[in-house]
Amino acid sequence: MSLADSDRELVVEELGREPTRAEAALFENLWSEHCAYRSSRPLLSAFESEGEQVVIGPGDDAAVVALPERDDGAGDGTTEETGATESGDGDGDGSRTYITMGIESHNHPSYVDPFDGAATGVGGIVRDTLSMGAYPIALADSLYFGEFSREHSRYLLEGVVEGISHYGNCIGVPTVAGSVDFHPDYEGNPLVNVACVGLTNEERLVTAEAQEPGNKLVLVGNATGRDGLGGASFASEDLAEDAETEDRPAVQVGDPYAEKLLIEANEQLVDEGLIESARDLGAAGLGGASSELVAKGGLGAEIELERVHQREPNMSALEILLAESQERMCYEVDPENVDRVREIAERFDLGCSVIGEVTEGNYVCTHRDETVVDVDAHFLGEGAPMNDLPTVEPATPETDLPDAAIEDAFNAVVSSPNTASKRWVYRQYDHEVGVRTSVGPGDDAALIAIREAEQGLAISSGAAPNWTAAAPYDGARAVALENATNIAATGATPLAAVDCLNGGNPEKPDVYGAFTGIVDGLADMCATLSTPVVGGNVSLYNDSVAGPIPPTPTLAMVGTKAGYDAPSLSVRAANESELLLVGDRALDGDDEEFSLGGSEYLAQFDGSDRFPALPSEPAELVETLAAVADDEATLAVHDVSHGGLAVALAEMVTDDAGLDVSIPAGDALGALFHEQPGRALIQTDSPAAVREAFDGVAPVVSLGSATDDGTLRLSVSDDQVTIAADEIRERRATIETELA
């Protein structure tokens, strides 16, 4: 990829001359879709990103959100990670506890080299967290592959999971949440979206905005090599048929042990107040990080590239500027503190170079006394013209419903890789390191302990390609509601979210139309839920010879609650309890009508239908579900989503507790397999209280009760399914059985 003629004309006009080779390469990368969001930025204003708890929104390395303050008295004690006291005071002087949120895609690299591509995606989002003065405390990964039956898809899955687990486990950050989806349109372009949550407070907060001319720019971390050259521009093109061999040099190589040292060094640098601003070296390497750092402060820089510590001989200025070697940070440091920063770097066996200083002029880079870059930093970072692209509205699917036998449908949907157990994936992740995890992977949402604020933090992450392929706008609204329902199932209320918006080639009107739909849908539902979208990532040109991916709006959402406990997903063998279904619009009243659009049932049996209508009062539903989930009479809560009611019921059954369920519907297939979001199963000792809580908010239907024999007995109209817990487990072990 080279600088487009129209872009070169703008650069020449700004500079008053032809750009140097290094300048042209910088503009090529920083004006790429990956960095400049040229096709998506015009759409992103749809998101509400402000709110009472939002400290820093979009535009920095990560967003910063204040946790709600407690009403009770303060406790005592301290934590080593952030120096924050258990009262929620950052250093005992009243500073508030903050979390950071970020999300990143590493899609193209993970196709070319699944292990290193995925591993370095984890490393990058963790360093974004460090840039804010935060300590990383949790990861969530959402992964999307072609059909599981294809050998190449399984190869990519195994490599990606190994890369994530290796890197995350080595650096000691737990992977607590996420999702895995399979769809034929990811065959030529898988997606790897990784989110990170960090912990800090207002006293420790650092930003990526340069503060003062005369401060030094210090590079800390691994030595610079030639790996990852042109990674930003590579991520802004369709994947070629020979990408796995030809584009391998654009993939970075990670070193998690160096990252762990960098995490701990960063913690000490922040503790001692030595950092004025910081930026992770990611896309476009040193050139991207240093120019963006000073541009945000309205400043410039003078950098001597030969001062950069290098691991390969005879590196050119362009290579030093654009290499995306991993585990590196760029810090702005007061001159008086440079020696102490160097001491800390040496203590952690990290390289350290004073490469230049912040100025009031242009962004200038020299190499052996030759000026190779002399541009206005703001123009370099913000001067790319936006694209005005045509769109075509997605068509509404026609109704073409297959008529499968109920038992065949149940077995096919429950054993589908999309709805089957993901235990093979998350058992490879260390989700308990850090001793914060209260509820780990495999539940509706993870729950981690923020003892500094005496609160639980719920985390949910994922999308639903079947939904957004069928209906981009409503499917994206459903993704947001689904994540919020997952959060509420733990008893938490949504606080904030970050998104990773993945699409195909935006120059195709139908692709851009669908992408526009997922942006607007996600934005509208998050606004309805009063959940600010505080940051995110856009990844376009996820297109290959196999065609474009489905529009995929991954959302990582967090919520808070008092305490660290949550109701179980699994039903209990309690004789006096009742199982209730909340929020199913199609079972409300006499006008039963199920919409199966976007469902796994239609994917399995090759049908189509319109997407189901969403709840009319989603915010009230989520708020009420959170309150009911936190009630002591509630024994179990489970969100109903992918695979419909059939899968949700199967997931609740254990060897010790079964369910005897009767669904009041005439259409068994519709009742069991439609995937309208905003529904939940609640096992409760107080069904009357649940009905009262949801009165006027959402319909409540009694389905039956728990048993002590570990068997699911399911009847709908004249159809029945009876299956024991061990048989369910066997059917849901599709991925584990194939990859064992």
Side-chain angles (χ1 to χ4, degrees):
M1 184 175 181
S2 59
L3 194 62
D5 290 343
S6 58
D7 290 345
R8 177 175 284 272
E9 290 174 6
L10 288 175
V11 171
V12 170
E13 182 180 354
E14 170 70 18
L15 299 181
R17 56 174 171 80
E18 286 291 325
T20 67
R21 184 164 173 260
E23 287 170 339
L26 266 180
F27 279 107
E28 173 195 326
N29 279 267
L30 292 178
W31 285 19
S32 66
E33 185 68 50
H34 184 73
C35 290
Y37 290 4
R38 299 175 66 159
S39 301
S40 60
R41 189 180 294 187
L43 307 176
L44 300 182
S45 60
F47 288 104
E48 294 286 342
S49 58
E50 298 180 350
E52 183 181 352
Q53 304 302 124
V54 180
V55 179
I56 296 176
D60 223 306
D61 271 3
V64 181
V65 181
L67 294 182
E69 295 185 275
R70 299 190 323 271
D71 295 329
D72 53 17
D76 55 15
T78 62
T79 93
E80 182 179 345
E81 286 173 359
T82 65
T85 66
E86 292 290 341
S87 68
D89 296 347
D91 54 11
D93 65 355
S95 62
R96 296 187 63 184
T97 302
Y98 294 162
I99 62 165
T100 62
M101 301 176 66
I103 192 167
E104 181 172 294
S105 62
H106 243 221
N107 302 334
H108 283 24
S110 297
Y111 178 81
V112 174
D113 182 347
F115 179 88
D116 281 314
T120 51
V122 173
I125 198 62
V126 166
R127 291 192 303 280
D128 285 343
T129 302
L130 304 185
S131 296
M132 311 307 295
Y135 196 94
I137 59 171
L139 292 163
D141 57 79
S142 294
L143 314 175
Y144 309 87
F145 302 97
E147 290 183 291
F148 184 71
S149 59
R150 296 180 66 98
E151 183 179 356
H152 190 246
S153 299
R154 297 194 299 274
Y155 154 76
L156 292 172
L157 169 65
E158 289 181 291
V160 164
V161 170
E162 185 182 2
I164 291 172
S165 63
H166 174 70
Y167 207 100
N169 294 354
C170 287
I171 64 175
V173 181
T175 302
V176 298
S179 60
V180 182
D181 288 276
F182 302 92
H183 189 285
D185 290 344
Y186 295 119
E187 174 58 32
N189 198 132
L191 304 182
V192 175
N193 298 169
V194 183
C196 184
V197 175
L199 186 64
T200 188
N201 59 51
E202 59 186 319
E203 295 299 317
R204 295 165 46 84
L205 184 62
V206 177
T207 72
E209 182 176 320
Q211 301 296 307
E212 189 73 32
N215 284 341
K216 298 299 183 181
L217 294 175
V218 182
L219 187 63
V220 174
N222 267 349
T224 299
R226 291 184 169 92
D227 51 319
L229 278 168
S233 55
F234 161 60
S236 304
E237 299 177 303
D238 293 351
L239 278 172
E241 194 168 6
D242 58 357
E244 287 178 286
T245 54
E246 293 302 310
D247 291 323
R248 191 166 293 273
V251 178
Q252 310 91 335
V253 178
D255 179 356
Y257 302 106
E259 181 98 347
K260 177 61 176 174
L261 295 172
L262 193 57
I263 291 170
E264 301 306 327
N266 189 82
E267 186 73 358
Q268 185 165 348
L269 293 170
V270 173
D271 275 345
E272 296 188 19
L274 302 174
I275 304 304
E276 304 301 321
S277 66
R279 196 92 189 189
D280 153 53
L281 271 70
L286 174 62
S290 58
S291 64
E292 290 168 353
L293 184 77
V294 296
K296 281 181 67 68
L299 297 167
E302 292 182 358
I303 295 173
E304 298 177 58
L305 294 174
E306 67 271 16
R307 291 191 174 193
V308 172
H309 51 286
Q310 303 162 38
R311 69 167 185 265
E312 297 187 39
N314 303 318
M315 290 187 69
S316 68
L318 187 151
E319 290 170 333
I320 296 169
L321 268 174
L322 292 179
E324 296 182 10
S325 303
Q326 297 293 284
E327 295 84 39
R328 299 181 297 160
M329 298 286 292
C330 182
Y331 295 119
E332 178 192 6
V333 180
D334 187 293
E336 294 181 355
N337 293 326
V338 167
D339 287 343
R340 180 57 182 153
V341 170
R342 185 181 284 111
E343 288 174 6
I344 292 172
E346 289 175 353
R347 176 190 166 196
F348 287 95
D349 200 24
L350 295 168
C352 180
S353 303
V354 180
I355 61 173
E357 67 178 38
V358 179
T359 69
E360 293 182 332
N362 272 356
Y363 176 74
V364 179
C365 298
T366 61
H367 186 238
R368 296 173 182 165
D369 298 324
E370 178 188 356
T371 299
V372 294
V373 176
D374 187 353
V375 300
D376 178 79
H378 184 267
F379 179 71
L380 180 60
E382 300 293 331
M386 297 297 104
N387 294 330
D388 183 12
L389 300 173
T391 66
V392 171
E393 289 288 324
T396 301
E398 297 181 359
T399 297
D400 180 14
L401 300 179
D403 186 18
I406 194 71
E407 194 160 331
D408 292 343
F410 182 91
N411 289 334
V413 172
V414 168
S415 64
S416 163
N418 280 325
T419 59
S421 169
K422 305 305 186 296
R423 182 177 177 273
W424 180 88
V425 175
Y426 64 72
R427 72 174 184 178
Q428 299 183 54
Y429 304 149
D430 187 342
H431 55 267
E432 295 182 344
V433 63
V435 294
R436 291 184 180 272
T437 308
S438 174
V439 178
D443 217 300
D444 286 332
L447 187 66
I448 61 174
I450 309 297
R451 301 182 189 87
E452 295 75 7
E454 295 183 2
Q455 295 179 47
L457 186 75
I459 304 172
S460 175
S461 177
N466 283 342
W467 295 359
T468 46
Y473 175 78
D474 282 328
R477 291 176 64 225
V479 166
L481 180 55
E482 154 74 359
N483 278 281
T485 309
N486 286 338
I487 296 288
T490 69
T493 54
L495 175 66
V498 291
D499 59 30
C500 191
L501 304 170
N502 305 271
N505 186 333
E507 297 164 43
K508 300 176 180 178
D510 57 332
V511 170
Y512 196 55
F515 183 79
T516 301
I518 64 170
V519 171
D520 291 343
L522 208 62
D524 287 353
M525 181 55 75
C526 286
T528 299
L529 296 172
S530 299
T531 303
V533 179
V534 294
N537 174 264
V538 177
S539 176
L540 294 175
Y541 292 94
N542 292 290
D543 220 315
S544 69
V545 291
I549 64 162
T552 309
T554 299
L555 192 69
M557 184 181 288
V558 300
T560 58
K561 64 174 296 181
Y564 320 130
D565 296 325
S568 171
L569 177 152
S570 302
V571 71
R572 294 191 210 171
N575 292 331
E576 301 302 317
S577 68
E578 191 171 339
L579 184 69
L580 304 176
L581 173 62
V582 170
D584 199 317
R585 294 165 56 91
L587 290 178
D588 183 25
D590 298 326
D591 299 325
E592 174 188 305
E593 186 176 3
F594 300 104
S595 297
L596 286 161
S599 68
E600 187 61 30
Y601 169 71
L602 291 188
Q604 290 293 313
F605 292 94
D606 195 24
S608 63
D609 197 7
R610 70 186 186 283
F611 195 74
L614 275 63
S616 57
E617 303 290 341
E620 290 81 355
L621 185 151
V622 168
E623 182 180 356
T624 305
L625 178 60
V628 168
D630 235 8
D631 190 272
E632 61 182 11
T634 299
L635 305 179
V637 180
H638 189 17
D639 160 70
V640 181
S641 58
H642 309 301
L645 192 55
V647 170
L649 290 167
E651 289 174 332
M652 294 186 81
V653 172
T654 69
D655 290 332
D656 300 319
L659 284 169
D660 195 348
V661 169
S662 177
I663 301 174
D667 178 2
L669 291 170
L672 284 176
F673 301 113
H674 83 89
E675 296 186 12
Q676 175 228 306
R679 294 181 292 162
L681 290 163
I682 301 173
Q683 183 192 15
T684 177
D685 284 335
S686 184
V690 174
R691 290 188 174 91
E692 182 179 356
F694 281 98
D695 185 32
V697 176
V700 179
V701 177
S702 178
L703 295 186
S705 58
T707 65
D708 60 4
D709 62 358
T711 298
L712 173 62
R713 297 179 181 84
L714 179 60
S715 65
V716 192
S717 186
D718 296 329
D719 293 296
Q720 293 186 342
V721 174
T722 300
I723 186 168
D726 59 343
E727 295 177 86
I728 293 173
R729 203 159 43 244
E730 182 180 347
R731 283 167 173 71
R732 298 193 68 242
T734 304
I735 296 174
E736 195 164 5
T737 300
E738 180 64 34
L739 300 180

